[in-house]
């Protein structure tokens, strides 16, 4: 599996730093995971957006899905698409409210609602806890501890597994999902104790604890807020976990 980081800024974009967005590739299949602020521009810089085979969303906060409107415009109005978007509607796996939420984001007002039925170019598929297959990937979705309907994912291919935490506090579902995974891509929005809000985000320390308990071989830290020091988050994670730790970078590619 090849993981490309389109953006990794937490909660809001930073200077030249898009929010959450990733591209996971295997066997010629391109799976987008999240499409937050600024990530659609990053995607266009490296891939033909029409070549993306499916899109997966952990939840519907703007920093994970704001660029879906831009993708809609691109798929509807590009004068020379390399793949007919109406013949090949893009499968979108997302929380059940996604069709209505994305339509509201696209529409300018009530008069524009007719144009906001996005099913002409997208095939929406509601997520629920459990196993599904997306192209060559086996995906297990588990409920995350976050204020809205949210999921963490275990994505497997070729005998290896990547766990993407999405946005979540510490919870039993994440611990079970992560057990034995080779790689964990964990949000680590802040340093431990700097913000006291339960069931919202992981600290660097908590991400390290999750990785240690799971027995993973590589912890990748992402979703670090622009006002948070990545070095401090990294130090926290290393204090709780003895394996390899990486703070991911925008534009970087990682062979998993």
């Amino acid at each position: 599996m090849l993981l490309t980081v389109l953006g990794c800024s937490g909660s809001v974009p930073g200077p030249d730093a898009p929010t959450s967005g990733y591209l996971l590739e295997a066997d010629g299949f391109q799976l987008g995971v999240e499409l937050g602020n600024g990530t659609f521009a990053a995607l266009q810089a490296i891939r033909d957006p029409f070549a993306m085979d499916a899109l997966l969303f952990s939840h519907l906060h703007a920093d994970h899905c704001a660029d879906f409107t831009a993708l809609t415009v691109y798929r509807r109005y590009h004068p020379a698409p390399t793949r007919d978007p109406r013949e090949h509607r893009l499968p979108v796996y997302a929380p059940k409210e996604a069709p209505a939420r994305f339509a509201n984001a696209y529409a300018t007002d009530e008069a524009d609602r007719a144009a906001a039925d996005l099913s002409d170019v997208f095939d929406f598929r509601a997520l629920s806890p459990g196993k599904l297959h997306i192209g060559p990937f086996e995906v297990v979705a588990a409920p995350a501890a976050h204020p809205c309907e949210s999921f963490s994912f275990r994505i497997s291919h070729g005998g290896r597994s990547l766990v993407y935490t999405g946005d979540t506090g510490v919870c039993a579902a994440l611990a079970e999902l992560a057990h034995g995974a080779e790689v964990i891509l964990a949000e680590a929005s802040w340093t431990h104790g700097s913000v006291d809000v339960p069931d919202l985000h992981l600290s660097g320390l908590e991400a390290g604890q999750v990785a240690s308990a799971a027995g993973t071989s590589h912890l990748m830290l992402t979703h670090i807020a622009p006002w948070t020091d990545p070095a401090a988050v990294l130090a926290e994670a290393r204090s709780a976990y003895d394996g390899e730790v990486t703070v991911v970078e925008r534009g970087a590619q990682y062979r998993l």
Side-chain angles (χ1 to χ4, degrees):
M1 293 186 285
L2 178 66
L3 174 69
T4 301
V5 180
L6 304 176
C8 52
S9 182
S11 299
V12 298
D16 195 29
T19 58
S20 296
Y22 311 92
L23 189 66
L24 193 60
E25 299 174 82
D27 295 347
F29 191 94
Q30 298 183 22
L31 174 62
V33 183
E34 321 283 43
L35 199 64
N37 318 70
T39 55
F40 186 58
L43 175 64
Q44 291 176 77
I46 61 167
R47 298 287 188 275
D48 173 6
F50 288 109
M52 187 162 55
D53 295 292
L55 190 52
L56 177 65
F57 289 102
S58 66
H59 68 294
L60 302 179
H61 279 152
D63 60 315
H64 291 253
C65 66
D67 274 10
F68 192 85
T69 296
L71 176 64
T72 303
V73 173
Y74 195 92
R75 290 181 63 80
R76 275 185 163 171
Y77 299 114
H78 195 292
T82 56
R83 192 178 190 184
D84 188 334
R86 288 170 175 80
E87 290 294 324
H88 301 278
R89 294 187 304 149
L90 183 68
V92 178
Y93 298 83
K96 59 181 178 294
E97 292 184 0
R101 289 281 303 281
F102 290 152
N104 287 338
Y106 183 83
T108 55
D109 53 31
E110 285 302 315
D112 198 30
R113 288 290 298 172
D117 179 356
L118 310 184
S119 62
D120 59 326
V121 291
F122 297 111
D123 177 12
F124 290 102
R125 306 181 186 188
L127 287 171
S128 59
K131 185 185 298 184
L132 65 151
H133 288 87
I134 305 176
F137 300 106
E138 179 185 276
V139 180
V140 178
H146 204 55
C148 59
E149 184 182 28
S150 304
F151 296 92
S152 301
F153 302 116
R154 183 176 180 129
I155 304 173
S156 302
H157 175 269
R160 291 181 64 81
S161 295
L162 164 71
V163 167
Y164 171 54
T165 66
D167 286 6
T168 185
V170 175
C171 62
L174 175 59
E176 181 178 353
L177 188 74
H179 182 72
E182 284 79 13
V183 181
I184 298 178
L185 178 62
E187 69 113 325
S189 297
W190 47 50
T191 52
H192 199 68
S194 60
V195 180
D196 187 18
V197 180
D199 294 341
L200 186 61
H201 292 298
L202 298 174
S203 66
L205 177 65
E206 289 166 335
Q209 291 170 339
V210 168
S212 181
T216 192
S217 58
H218 189 182
L219 172 62
M220 307 178 78
L221 301 174
T222 189
H223 198 276
I224 299 174
W227 50 79
T228 299
D229 180 5
V233 171
L234 176 62
E236 281 196 351
R238 284 178 169 163
S239 74
Y241 170 66
D242 293 333
E244 181 180 2
V245 187
T246 301
V247 176
V248 303
E249 298 180 359
R250 180 186 66 83
Q253 293 187 319
Y254 303 93
R255 183 70 63 177
L256 308 180

